[in-house]
Amino acid sequence: MAFDKAFIESVRDRVSIVDVISRYVPLTRKGKENWGCCPFHTEKTASFSVNEEKNFYHCFGCGAHGDVITFLMQTQHLTFIEAIEKLCQDAGIPIPAATAEQRRRDKESHELYEVLKMAADFYKEQLYTEEGKVGLDYLKSRQLSDEMIANFHLCYAPAGNKLIQHLKAKGVPLKVILDAGLARMSERTHTPYDYFRERVLFPITDSRGRIIAFGGRIMVKDDNLPKYLNSPESLVFSKGRNLYGLAQARAEAIEK
């Protein structure tokens, strides 16, 4: 769910940045500032300042700077929306009801997440078939262990239109398959075809670990086909806003 700018600003204004940060960092009041040891780097002398009046924090040691929302995002490894939701929950601030348009987009997004997960499960099975052996051998030749293959959900897209057939057999509408970037319509025959074929696939996830897209490397020699191919942008995938491996890095950071 998205929040409008007015609501985001009201959350910043209604929540005490000192109260929030002091739950994670011991602070000492000195004049108009509150000081503590920076949570973003190791230090013995407090150089981390929190200013209630100006509503920001700043570390004079490492340069970390931001507001209460960025603090939660960076220290608790939350998304922007998750940070706002946590602030509202902790402060008892009612979250505005979604508009009809937001509910429609949320429903469509949910459908895309589901079909992308179904596609990933199908592609993972293909990696361990006779046809997918070429992809598994390639990954092994790149020194990728079974653990790494499993952790990053690496998989294989077979030849033909097997994914479309698989998803339609499970009752997934063609429109959803197309909207997820898993298929395209042929300009010549006006029929759908699998977007990824005969490629090792690298699923792209959001910060929550939900699959939102794929990147693929071709496994056959064909100069007419691109060596690398990425999913087109969709309702859940924006190339400029997502980082490959973010979910795995976030999980490792939380464990530490």
Side-chain angles (χ1 to χ4, degrees):
M1 176 179 173
F3 299 114
D4 61 37
K5 292 182 179 179
F7 178 72
I8 295 170
E9 288 302 319
S10 72
V11 172
R12 288 193 180 102
D13 292 339
R14 293 174 64 179
V15 173
S16 167
I17 189 172
V18 171
D19 287 349
V20 173
I21 292 181
S22 63
R23 297 171 194 162
Y24 307 94
V25 179
L27 299 175
T28 300
R29 179 82 174 187
K30 294 181 181 179
K32 294 183 178 181
E33 307 285 337
N34 294 269
W35 295 84
C37 290
C38 181
F40 302 109
H41 78 287
T42 303
E43 64 178 8
K44 295 182 179 180
T45 303
S47 63
F48 182 75
S49 169
V50 183
N51 190 304
E52 182 82 81
E53 182 180 341
K54 296 181 180 179
N55 206 13
F56 69 73
Y57 62 85
H58 181 81
C59 177
F60 292 89
C62 69
H65 183 92
D67 61 15
V68 66
I69 298 174
T70 57
F71 178 84
L72 286 182
M73 291 174 64
Q74 293 172 3
T75 61
Q76 305 306 301
H77 312 287
L78 303 177
T79 65
F80 184 78
I81 297 299
E82 289 171 341
I84 294 175
E85 290 175 341
K86 178 170 178 54
L87 289 171
C88 291
Q89 180 181 5
D90 292 345
I93 300 173
I95 295 177
T99 64
E101 175 64 16
Q102 288 173 333
R103 288 194 296 271
R104 182 190 65 79
R105 290 176 65 86
D106 288 345
K107 180 178 181 295
E108 291 182 2
S109 295
H110 180 70
E111 290 176 339
L112 295 188
Y113 290 131
E114 284 193 333
V115 72
L116 286 162
K117 174 64 167 58
M118 292 169 66
D121 289 342
F122 171 80
Y123 287 143
K124 278 189 282 187
E125 292 178 358
Q126 302 308 304
L127 184 64
Y128 298 96
T129 64
E130 184 62 32
E131 183 180 357
K133 187 176 183 297
V134 63
L136 185 59
D137 289 344
Y138 169 78
L139 294 174
K140 294 288 187 178
S141 74
R142 306 298 293 182
Q143 307 302 313
L144 295 178
S145 66
D146 290 334
E147 181 181 2
M148 293 179 68
I149 292 173
N151 188 35
F152 286 89
H153 311 290
L154 307 185
C155 46
Y156 183 78
N161 296 317
K162 295 184 177 69
L163 178 66
I164 293 176
Q165 296 168 5
H166 173 76
L167 294 176
K168 290 183 72 174
K170 289 186 173 293
V172 180
L174 177 59
K175 181 181 185 305
V176 177
I177 301 173
L178 293 167
D179 289 346
L182 297 170
R184 279 193 170 176
M185 296 297 293
S186 169
E187 294 182 0
R188 181 174 60 84
T189 64
H190 305 290
T191 57
Y193 64 91
D194 281 6
Y195 186 68
F196 294 104
R197 293 180 287 185
E198 297 181 278
R199 293 179 183 270
V200 164
L201 296 183
F202 304 83
I204 301 168
T205 64
D206 62 12
S207 61
R208 296 186 184 182
R210 298 176 298 190
I211 294 172
I212 55 177
F214 295 90
R217 186 194 189 281
I218 194 74
M219 288 289 105
V220 295
K221 291 183 178 180
D222 189 334
D223 293 338
N224 295 318
L225 296 174
K227 184 175 182 181
Y228 297 100
L229 184 67
N230 292 321
S231 292
E233 294 202 352
S234 70
L235 185 60
V236 298
F237 174 57
S238 174
K239 295 178 182 178
R241 295 182 180 179
N242 298 104
L243 179 66
Y244 180 74
L246 177 60
Q248 289 84 356
R250 177 183 179 185
E252 184 174 347
I254 291 174
E255 289 177 2
K256 292 182 178 179

